[in-house]
Amino acid sequence: MSAAEPTTTILDGSGVGPGGITRVLTEVVRHWPAGHRLRVVAAPPSWPVPADRAADVELVSHQASGRAGAIGAATATLRRVTAGAPRDRTRVLSLSPSAAILGSRLPVTTVVHDLAFRLWPHDLSTAVRQYRRVSYGAAVRRSARLLCVSARTRHDLLGLYGVADERTAIWHPGSDLAAAGDLPTPLADLSRRGGSWLVVAGHAPHKGVELAVDALAELPGHTLAVLTGGHRIDRFSAAVRRAGVADRVLFLGHLPEPEYAATVAGAAAFLMPSHFEGYGLPAAEALRLGTPAVVSPDPALHEATAGRAVRMTAWSAEALVAAVTAAVGGPRPAAGGHGRSWRTATEHLVGLLAAEPSTRPAARVAG
């Protein structure tokens, strides 16, 4: 089956949660090529189909409430929509590992973003670790092919699950954003006063925001804007109280894409002092917007930014201060000069879906 031939792709979103994976869903749907049909199963609650899409898109269902209910409903829906579908004209793509793919009557390709639940399980409840163990195990067993967003994730699949490289491929997401809009009110007020801000991704415990908070005392003249995505982390609030810098930290809730782009584009630097990443899309987006990026020593972040970010030499506040000082003191990156567009990334994804896997799924799945 050629990638140029019109097809129907059933896109499973049951494993998609807050953060960068939701952006991946939105941009992939937005840039899916015209003439190819998409049927989206179990999209996140309230997720809207992009109005500026090119393809024929049908939103079959949103995620049901509760983890068990969401997976059960998605499994049943996948079973229904794949039953009787022509195998030579229909493909199934899961945007993140999910046990719901067990309901598919057709081969499945799964995108794997990271294996954080195995390599950085801190702060995850026992229930979440067990759920991810089941969902990732199902994805490894059932998927005909696994697409890894970084070489680091591909390496982790081999080491933890014994998945041979012949059964995987690397797919880097796009990094372009819509033109920047208005700043959120707190930053607009700060900008009018001539203030400068640093932005840090902060919607999950492994993002290392506590390092940015501890570094703030040695970074005078900057306010720290924490992007929570609507998921405020208690330990980060506690770190702010402990450091006594509440007057210089802004916790921002979920931002519409234009406000997000304006916030990042207007920052003195974008920080990702993460303890673990599978890729690091926000850092790549910052560079593409022309904002200096500072990243931790994590290898996936180095890969996502192609070595163009200033890299911390250790996971410490001191190393972050040195990296921010270097980033802010140097020339700003050229806007649009890093990464690839979502259109290019989606075309690559469509091509990977059309390719036949060279090996069958492995029988062994490590716990």
Side-chain angles (χ1 to χ4, degrees), residues 1-11 32-33 36-37 82 86-93 106-109 349-355:
M1 179 173 58
S2 167
E5 294 175 345
T7 59
T8 294
T9 298
I10 298 167
L11 195 157
W32 204 260
H36 295 251
R37 189 183 185 203
T82 57
R87 296 178 67 90
D88 61 336
R89 312 299 299 157
T90 311
R91 304 176 298 209
V92 181
L93 171 65
L106 297 173
V108 178
T109 296
L349 179 59
V350 171
L352 289 170
L353 282 174

Side-chain angles (χ1 to χ4, degrees), residues 31-351:
H31 292 95
W32 204 260
H36 295 251
R37 189 183 185 203
L38 266 181
R39 304 187 72 193
V40 182
V41 172
S46 303
W47 178 84
V49 175
D52 52 349
R53 63 192 182 276
D56 174 14
V57 179
E58 176 191 359
L59 179 54
V60 178
S61 65
H62 280 105
Q63 294 172 11
S65 60
R67 184 175 291 118
I71 297 303
T75 302
T77 304
L78 279 174
R79 182 178 297 114
R80 174 174 58 81
V81 299
T82 57
R87 296 178 67 90
D88 61 336
R89 312 299 299 157
T90 311
R91 304 176 298 209
V92 181
L93 171 65
S94 183
L95 276 187
S96 189
S98 171
I101 66 170
L102 296 175
S104 175
R105 305 293 181 87
L106 297 173
V108 178
T109 296
T110 296
V111 179
V112 182
H113 298 264
D114 62 59
L115 279 84
F117 81 101
R118 293 285 300 273
L119 298 172
W120 189 261
H122 318 292
D123 303 297
L124 294 178
S125 67
T126 300
V128 168
R129 290 198 302 271
Q130 289 175 341
Y131 162 71
R132 292 185 181 172
R133 187 176 298 115
V134 170
S135 61
Y136 276 69
V140 169
R141 288 193 307 271
R142 179 67 173 78
S143 300
R145 204 171 197 202
L146 298 159
L147 304 182
C148 305
V149 299
S150 65
R152 186 254 171 80
T153 297
R154 191 183 204 184
H155 169 82
D156 293 342
L157 271 177
L158 173 63
L160 294 174
Y161 287 95
V163 179
D165 286 352
E166 290 78 10
R167 210 178 128 218
T168 63
I170 295 175
W171 175 72
H172 288 157
S175 56
D176 55 326
L177 287 169
D182 295 330
L183 288 166
T185 299
L187 291 182
D189 293 341
L190 181 63
S191 179
R192 281 192 290 271
R193 297 195 303 268
S196 174
W197 64 89
L198 305 168
V199 176
V200 61
H203 61 274
H206 66 273
K207 297 298 182 182
V209 173
E210 73 282 356
L211 296 176
V213 170
D214 291 342
L216 203 55
E218 302 301 323
L219 296 168
H222 295 298
T223 294
L224 182 66
V226 183
L227 302 178
T228 71
H231 298 268
R232 189 156 171 170
I233 307 301
D234 290 341
R235 70 173 347 183
F236 298 157
S237 299
V240 170
R241 293 192 296 270
R242 187 171 58 249
V245 292
D247 59 329
R248 294 176 57 203
V249 178
L250 296 172
F251 285 96
L252 302 177
H254 174 74
L255 299 179
E257 184 177 300
E259 287 190 14
Y260 170 82
T263 297
V264 175
F270 187 91
L271 318 182
M272 284 197 80
S274 308
H275 300 287
F276 178 94
E277 289 291 342
Y279 183 60
L281 178 58
E285 290 175 332
L287 288 172
R288 194 168 177 95
L289 286 168
T291 300
V294 172
V295 299
S296 75
D298 185 272
L301 286 167
H302 190 60
E303 179 180 349
T305 57
R308 296 182 183 181
V310 179
R311 201 176 189 188
M312 297 162 59
T313 57
W315 277 276
S316 69
E318 294 76 14
L320 182 54
V321 169
V324 171
T325 301
V328 172
R332 291 179 75 86
H338 171 77
R340 62 179 178 174
S341 70
W342 273 108
R343 184 175 302 281
T344 298
T346 304
E347 289 173 352
H348 183 206
L349 179 59
V350 171

